[in-house]
Amino acid sequence: QQQHHHHQQQQQQQNARTKNDIKNKGLLGHIESLIKFRGGPITVHEFMSEALTNPTYGYYTKTSSKDAVFGKSGDFTTSPEISQIFGELLGVWCATIWEQLGSPEELHLIEFGPGRGTLMMDLLRGTSNFKKFSEALRVHLIEISP
């Protein structure tokens, strides 16, 4: 019984060390714990999901201001953040394709990862004079960032 109690204490100490290791290693520790828990490899999808959207460590979901991702103070800037021309030209192209499709009553325009929505705002502004096109649009923004 004493040996069993000693083994329990060792297991508790190991668990505490593991939790501290995960805490100290951040995302790396978190992913290591997933692999250990699984007893083997995780998929690329699971890895990328954790790396990008984990609430604590995810690239796009960290909430502290020092972790800003977008814009001049962030890690990268996309073309819509620099100039409105890309979004406006994309809008004219969409309106042209819509006409080539026979001007359907509804056109679903879906943007994945719109960030602040700058590209879509530029597109909508650039096509605002094409009234029937604008009325047909059903805009959907798919975003995982907070």
Side-chain angles (χ1 to χ4, degrees):
Q1 187 172 4
Q2 191 175 19
Q3 190 176 18
H4 177 71
H5 180 68
H6 179 69
H7 177 72
Q8 273 184 319
Q9 281 181 319
Q10 284 180 322
Q11 189 62 43
Q12 288 172 343
Q13 289 171 347
Q14 178 61 36
N15 289 344
R17 280 194 302 270
T18 301
K19 284 180 183 176
N20 283 335
D21 285 349
I22 291 169
K23 193 176 186 181
N24 294 335
K25 290 183 182 177
L27 179 62
L28 176 61
H30 175 69
I31 291 175
E32 285 176 351
S33 72
L34 288 176
I35 293 168
K36 285 178 186 175
F37 178 76
R38 172 77 51 83
I42 60 174
T43 66
V44 172
H45 171 79
E46 291 168 316
F47 173 82
M48 293 305 297
S49 180
E50 291 297 326
L52 298 177
T53 63
N54 178 281
T56 305
Y57 307 113
Y59 181 75
Y60 291 113
T61 51
K62 291 185 283 189
T63 55
S64 64
S65 60
K66 68 180 173 66
D67 297 319
V69 175
F70 304 109
K72 291 178 182 173
S73 65
D75 288 346
F76 62 89
T77 301
T78 59
S79 59
E81 300 291 331
I82 296 170
S83 170
Q84 65 198 41
I85 294 172
F86 180 66
E88 291 173 352
L89 288 174
L90 187 59
V92 171
W93 177 80
C94 287
T96 302
I97 296 299
W98 173 76
E99 287 179 355
Q100 290 174 2
L101 291 170
S103 304
E105 285 184 31
E106 281 191 5
L107 177 67
H108 291 266
L109 193 54
I110 304 165
E111 183 179 1
F112 289 88
R116 296 183 182 122
T118 306
L119 177 65
M120 189 62 71
M121 287 188 298
D122 293 342
L123 184 150
L124 295 172
R125 186 180 51 257
T127 58
S128 61
N129 289 330
F130 302 99
K131 296 295 180 202
K132 290 188 185 238
F133 172 75
S134 295
E135 290 170 6
L137 278 182
R138 304 296 179 266
V139 175
H140 306 273
L141 304 174
I142 313 294
E143 181 59 67
I144 57 172
S145 299

